[in-house]
């Protein structure tokens, strides 16, 4: 798998909806933005870009944040131009957004290719057949104004937007509702198969039992091979396995269980060390490969009722690796 980062960006602010219409329905003229187009940093925040351009005052100083609240009520258009990556036989090009805050419409070379809502999930778009044979490609990301949401005033049960609430006013911060591309944007060049939603779970920390599962998406019936390796904090392999895969077109699944001998347990701060294992997963087919990596701490967590609590009370005491842990908040 080859990654191409997209880093040359600009951003401009608009009244709501005007970026989608482009021209005024009354006059037929193009609708201009409420700010000029300025250099943008991705990953980043609209506020940081505006501050660097001198269009807002530092919101951390005195009452300046009150003069910045208009930002969350505008739509922001990120623009990036880039040449088509070098062609490679049997490769797919996937446009990946690691973090969009929080609702956006994505246009590629003049066509809408995606709509996205929620700041905690990736946005992935296959653009293989949309890349230009020559010349630059144009990527536009229209960030809509921030959704209406409650800050620190209770009613968590009434909160349904997938967006950080502390932006809306908390006891440690003023109201400054963030917008922007806060995660990396890149093009992943992949083969005919792809790892989807890989997941690692500790089944029994003291026994070193680890469960791994993933989806494997395939464009057509094909054969592939998957390798899972777990290394300790010194880089030594403590568990490894390689499996051949016979895949059907569409979504497939793969699971594997591992036992780490003499496991090193992860402890909360003040209760012990925090050793981390590294899980590396490689998927290979005839056309290319895909890869996933993550850190893994071996610990068991359980909950129990407080001493002397009523039988119907909720369990608020936490045990980590069998030991009671005092929760600091």
């Amino acid at each position: 798998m080859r990654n191409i980062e997209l880093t040359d960006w600009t951003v401009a602010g608009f009244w709501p909806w005007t970026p989608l219409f482009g021209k005024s329905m009354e006059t037929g003229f193009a609708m201009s933005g409420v700010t000029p187009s300025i250099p943008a940093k991705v990953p980043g925040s609209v506020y940081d870009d505006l501050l660097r351009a001198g269009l807002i005052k530092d919101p951390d100083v005195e009452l300046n944040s009150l003069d910045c609240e208009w930002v969350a009520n505008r739509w922001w258009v990120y623009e990036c131009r880039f040449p088509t990556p070098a062609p490679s036989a049997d490769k797919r090009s996937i446009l990946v957004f690691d973090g969009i805050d929080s609702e956006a419409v994505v246009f590629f070379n003049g066509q809408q290719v995606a709509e996205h809502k929620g700041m905690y999930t990736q946005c992935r778009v296959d653009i293989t057949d949309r890349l230009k044979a020559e010349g630059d490609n144009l990527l536009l990301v229209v960030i809509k104004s921030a959704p209406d949401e409650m800050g620190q005033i209770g009613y968590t049960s009434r909160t349904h937007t997938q967006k950080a609430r502390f932006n809306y006013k908390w006891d440690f911060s003023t109201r400054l509702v963030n917008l922007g591309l806060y995660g990396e944007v890149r093009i992943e060049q992949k083969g005919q198969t792809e790892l989807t939603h890989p997941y690692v779970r500790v089944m029994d920390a003291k026994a070193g039992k680890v469960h791994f599962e993933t989806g494997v998406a395939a464009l057509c019936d094909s054969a592939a091979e998957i390798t899972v390796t777990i290394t300790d904090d010194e880089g030594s392999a403590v568990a490894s396995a390689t499996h051949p895969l016979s895949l059907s077109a569409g979504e497939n699944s793969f699971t594997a269980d591992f036992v780490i001998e003499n496991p090193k347990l992860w402890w909360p701060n003040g209760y012990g060390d925090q050793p981390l294992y590294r899980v590396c997963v490689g998927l290979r087919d005839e056309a290319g490969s895909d890869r996933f990596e993550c850190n893994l701490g071996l610990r068991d967590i359980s909950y129990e009722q407080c001493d002397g609590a009523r039988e119907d009370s909720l369990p608020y005491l936490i045990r980590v690796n069998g030991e009671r842990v005092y929760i600091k908040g």
Side-chain angles (χ1 to χ4, degrees):
M1 181 181 72
R2 177 173 174 243
N3 288 346
I4 302 167
E5 291 188 30
L6 304 182
T7 57
D8 189 13
W9 293 86
T10 60
V11 69
F14 290 81
W15 297 109
W17 296 104
T18 58
L20 298 187
F21 290 113
K23 294 182 179 181
S24 169
M25 300 176 68
E26 290 82 10
T27 66
F29 291 111
M31 292 184 286
S32 58
V34 296
T35 75
S37 180
I38 59 176
K41 184 179 179 181
V42 176
S45 165
V46 169
Y47 290 93
D48 287 337
D49 299 329
L50 293 172
L51 182 61
R52 282 191 296 271
L55 297 179
I56 62 172
K57 297 178 181 179
D58 189 341
D60 291 331
V61 175
E62 297 179 342
L63 297 178
N64 288 347
S65 66
L66 297 179
D67 294 329
C68 298
E69 291 191 4
W70 62 273
V71 175
N73 297 312
R74 303 295 183 267
W75 286 27
W76 298 91
V77 179
Y78 281 85
E79 178 177 324
C80 179
R81 295 180 183 271
F82 62 93
T84 295
S88 180
D90 299 322
K91 290 285 187 181
R92 294 179 299 129
S93 294
I94 311 297
L95 177 63
V96 181
F97 298 87
D98 278 341
I100 299 177
D101 192 0
S102 64
E103 184 175 354
V105 183
V106 181
F107 295 87
F108 190 73
N109 287 333
Q111 293 184 319
Q112 181 178 326
V113 295
E115 291 189 51
H116 181 82
K117 182 181 292 187
M119 66 175 291
Y120 299 114
T121 56
Q122 278 189 340
C123 178
R124 304 175 66 87
V125 186
D126 191 330
I127 57 171
T128 305
D129 298 328
R130 301 179 184 274
L131 290 164
K132 289 185 176 181
E134 58 183 31
D136 284 345
N137 297 278
L138 175 61
L139 172 61
L140 297 177
V141 184
V142 180
I143 306 285
K144 295 184 179 182
S145 51
D148 188 23
E149 189 53 272
M150 296 178 289
Q152 191 186 21
I153 58 172
Y155 289 120
T156 299
S157 61
R158 299 184 187 180
T159 300
H160 302 291
T161 55
Q162 295 298 307
K163 180 168 172 58
R165 281 179 65 194
F166 60 82
N167 290 174
Y168 290 85
K169 176 67 179 79
W170 220 259
D171 56 8
F172 59 79
S173 66
T174 186
R175 180 184 176 89
L176 202 68
V177 185
N178 187 60
L179 294 171
L181 299 175
Y182 75 91
E184 181 184 282
V185 182
R186 63 185 178 276
I187 295 175
E188 295 180 355
Q189 288 190 309
K190 295 179 174 290
Q192 301 299 304
T193 57
E194 178 182 1
L195 295 168
T196 59
H197 311 297
Y199 178 70
V200 184
R201 181 180 181 183
V202 178
M203 305 302 293
D204 187 333
K206 291 184 178 180
K209 294 182 179 180
V210 176
H211 175 76
F212 172 76
E213 61 185 63
T214 185
V216 181
L219 292 183
C220 58
D221 294 351
S222 57
E225 184 179 79
I226 189 168
T227 298
V228 183
T229 302
I230 303 176
T231 57
D232 60 19
D233 50 7
E234 297 178 353
S236 300
V238 296
S240 182
T242 299
H243 298 270
L245 300 177
S246 180
L247 303 173
S248 301
E251 189 74 16
N252 303 263
S253 61
F254 171 80
T255 63
D257 293 294
F258 300 89
V259 176
I260 299 175
E261 300 293 339
N262 303 314
K264 301 175 183 178
L265 299 183
W266 183 97
W267 293 92
N269 185 26
Y271 288 83
D273 296 329
Q274 294 85 41
L276 293 176
Y277 292 87
R278 188 71 175 170
V279 180
C280 301
V281 184
L283 176 68
R284 180 172 294 278
D285 59 29
E286 293 181 356
S289 61
D290 197 7
R291 188 172 181 84
F292 166 77
E293 294 187 12
C294 72
N295 290 328
L296 176 67
L298 296 182
R299 82 286 184 272
D300 292 321
I301 297 179
S302 60
Y303 300 84
E304 62 185 42
Q305 292 177 326
C306 298
D307 295 338
R310 297 183 328 200
E311 291 184 0
D312 60 347
S313 64
L314 295 174
Y316 283 116
L317 287 179
I318 296 180
R319 287 186 181 270
V320 177
N321 301 328
E323 300 292 332
R324 280 189 174 185
V325 172
Y326 180 74
I327 302 303
K328 305 173 184 179

